PDB file of all heavy atoms in Angstrom:
ATOM      1  N   SER K  45      -1.892  12.816  17.687  1.00 98.00           N
ATOM      2  CA  SER K  45      -0.828  13.148  18.650  1.00 98.00           C
ATOM      3  C   SER K  45      -1.095  12.128  19.892  1.00 98.00           C
ATOM      4  O   SER K  45      -2.207  11.715  20.131  1.00 98.00           O
ATOM      5  CB  SER K  45      -0.874  14.614  19.159  1.00 98.00           C
ATOM      6  OG  SER K  45      -2.123  14.800  19.857  1.00 98.00           O
ATOM      7  N   THR K  73     -11.092  22.499  20.431  1.00 96.00           N
ATOM      8  CA  THR K  73     -11.746  23.594  19.971  1.00 96.00           C
ATOM      9  C   THR K  73     -12.591  23.204  18.663  1.00 96.00           C
ATOM     10  O   THR K  73     -13.288  24.079  18.169  1.00 96.00           O
ATOM     11  CB  THR K  73     -10.917  24.801  19.817  1.00 96.00           C
ATOM     12  OG1 THR K  73      -9.956  24.409  18.744  1.00 96.00           O
ATOM     13  CG2 THR K  73     -10.191  25.127  21.124  1.00 96.00           C
ATOM     14  N   VAL K 277      24.510  -4.500  12.752  1.00 98.00           N
ATOM     15  CA  VAL K 277      23.483  -5.396  13.224  1.00 98.00           C
ATOM     16  C   VAL K 277      23.745  -6.890  12.590  1.00 98.00           C
ATOM     17  O   VAL K 277      23.865  -6.899  11.370  1.00 98.00           O
ATOM     18  CB  VAL K 277      22.078  -4.939  12.804  1.00 98.00           C
ATOM     19  CG1 VAL K 277      21.005  -6.004  13.424  1.00 98.00           C
ATOM     20  CG2 VAL K 277      21.850  -3.670  13.549  1.00 98.00           C
ATOM     21  N   THR K 281      22.085 -13.172   7.187  1.00 97.00           N
ATOM     22  CA  THR K 281      21.575 -12.634   6.006  1.00 97.00           C
ATOM     23  C   THR K 281      21.524 -13.561   4.824  1.00 97.00           C
ATOM     24  O   THR K 281      20.796 -13.338   3.832  1.00 97.00           O
ATOM     25  CB  THR K 281      22.414 -11.358   5.562  1.00 97.00           C
ATOM     26  OG1 THR K 281      23.856 -11.773   5.519  1.00 97.00           O
ATOM     27  CG2 THR K 281      22.289 -10.243   6.650  1.00 97.00           C
ATOM     28  N   ASP K 574     -23.163 -14.265 -25.573  1.00 98.00           N
ATOM     29  CA  ASP K 574     -22.495 -14.342 -26.971  1.00 98.00           C
ATOM     30  C   ASP K 574     -21.641 -13.133 -27.167  1.00 98.00           C
ATOM     31  O   ASP K 574     -20.943 -13.037 -28.207  1.00 98.00           O
ATOM     32  CB  ASP K 574     -23.550 -14.570 -27.994  1.00 98.00           C
ATOM     33  CG  ASP K 574     -24.216 -15.853 -27.952  1.00 98.00           C
ATOM     34  OD1 ASP K 574     -23.523 -16.868 -27.603  1.00 98.00           O
ATOM     35  OD2 ASP K 574     -25.391 -15.946 -28.272  1.00 98.00           O
ATOM     36  N   PRO K 596     -11.494 -18.457 -25.625  1.00 97.00           N
ATOM     37  CA  PRO K 596     -12.289 -17.679 -26.518  1.00 97.00           C
ATOM     38  C   PRO K 596     -13.672 -18.039 -26.764  1.00 97.00           C
ATOM     39  O   PRO K 596     -14.483 -17.338 -27.378  1.00 97.00           O
ATOM     40  CB  PRO K 596     -11.414 -17.788 -27.847  1.00 97.00           C
ATOM     41  CG  PRO K 596     -10.722 -19.133 -27.684  1.00 97.00           C
ATOM     42  CD  PRO K 596     -10.392 -19.266 -26.211  1.00 97.00           C
TER      43      PRO K 596
END
Side-chain angles (χ1 to χ4, degrees):
S45 63
T73 65
V277 176
T281 55
D574 290 329

